[in-house]
Amino acid sequence: VEQIANIISFIPPDLGVVILDGYEPTQKASIATKLADQKLIKREEIEKLEKTIQSKLECLVGGKALFEGVFDLVSNKDKNDLLELLKSSDPDGHKKVRALIVVFEDIMLLSDDEIKLLLSEVNLEQLSTALISADAALSTKLDQNMIESARAMVKQFKELKGEDTPEKDIERAREKVMDVVAQLESAGKIKLKEKILASVGITSQSE
């Protein structure tokens, strides 16, 4: 497991996620926990993975930036499955990984003002699709922050297309919504990651 995490550290995230997809959920959870840790790996260990390395060196593997690069490409469902597995099997690993993963359901953590801002930026049809089969509490919180016309459109969309929308389309829509969340986070307009850290008992200073 540690060797797999080390290999993923040296390759682009889009290839790393392909490797990760080849493992069972329990193995994915173990790899994710190892990948979340940034550590020094010595030349001797690297040579076990790649014999062509000639020079004497030490490299950093794993860590927050690498972990987020790989898991940005993992589906929302797989992220949730991973978190649920770690929560029951490895509480320490869950806390470590939870601090680095953002899922669609985390929108619940946003303040009403932040949600209103998100709603003003997101495509309403994509949001409507994303809310099909979503947690009732999340749907209610978003609904309460919508203007009346938007609320009516979302309700009508779910009634007309809710049962016929493929799961892959729902997942794709949730990823599009989370792209907007990431943009707002990068612009400093919302503080979702800070709220996620707080939810697992980590202050932003100790991130």
Side-chain angles (χ1 to χ4, degrees):
V1 168
E2 187 162 351
Q3 286 186 340
I4 298 302
N6 289 343
I7 290 171
I8 292 175
S9 294
F10 288 106
I11 61 178
D14 57 335
L15 296 180
V17 75
V18 172
I19 292 177
L20 199 63
D21 280 343
Y23 289 87
E24 297 297 320
T26 52
Q27 294 171 308
K28 283 185 182 179
S30 297
I31 293 169
T33 303
K34 294 290 185 184
L35 197 61
D37 281 327
Q38 188 175 61
K39 58 185 181 294
L40 281 170
I41 178 170
K42 294 185 178 180
R43 179 179 60 84
E44 291 79 10
E45 296 176 61
I46 296 173
E47 287 177 341
K48 293 177 184 178
L49 304 176
E50 179 53 69
K51 292 181 180 180
T52 58
I53 294 179
Q54 300 289 329
S55 59
K56 185 176 180 180
L57 50 82
E58 291 184 338
C59 294
L60 285 171
V61 297
K64 176 183 175 183
L66 178 74
F67 182 96
E68 291 179 339
V70 171
F71 275 83
D72 277 349
L73 303 175
V74 173
S75 73
N76 192 75
K77 181 181 182 302
D78 284 349
K79 288 177 184 176
N80 277 316
D81 289 346
L82 173 67
L83 290 172
E84 283 300 313
L85 182 60
L86 283 174
K87 192 173 184 179
S88 59
S89 64
D90 184 359
D92 289 338
H94 173 267
K95 182 176 181 179
K96 185 186 302 177
V97 169
R98 187 65 188 90
L100 300 176
I101 283 183
V102 181
V103 293
F104 179 72
E105 292 73 15
D106 288 332
I107 292 173
M108 270 293 295
L109 299 173
L110 294 174
S111 68
D112 286 345
D113 286 343
E114 289 174 322
I115 286 179
K116 286 183 174 69
L117 178 59
L118 172 62
L119 291 172
S120 72
E121 297 290 333
V122 76
N123 178 283
L124 200 55
E125 183 173 343
Q126 288 177 347
L127 178 65
S128 301
T129 305
L131 287 174
I132 295 172
S133 73
D135 179 77
L138 174 58
S139 294
T140 298
K141 185 164 186 176
L142 287 167
D143 185 77
Q144 290 171 343
N145 284 284
M146 290 181 193
I147 60 174
E148 187 175 347
S149 59
R151 189 182 306 121
M153 178 179 170
V154 170
K155 181 181 179 182
Q156 183 180 44
F157 185 95
K158 290 167 71 176
E159 288 174 349
L160 293 174
K161 298 188 178 182
E163 294 183 0
D164 299 325
T165 303
E167 185 64 31
K168 62 181 179 62
D169 290 350
I170 298 173
E171 281 296 308
R172 189 179 301 116
R174 290 178 180 178
E175 289 167 7
K176 292 292 185 183
V177 172
M178 295 313 292
D179 286 344
V180 177
V181 169
Q183 291 166 11
L184 293 173
E185 179 86 34
S186 295
K189 295 180 178 180
I190 63 173
K191 300 291 183 183
L192 182 55
K193 289 186 177 181
E194 188 175 295
K195 292 177 172 66
I196 293 171
L197 290 174
S199 74
V200 293
I202 302 175
T203 62
S204 57
Q205 286 77 16
S206 61
E207 184 180 355

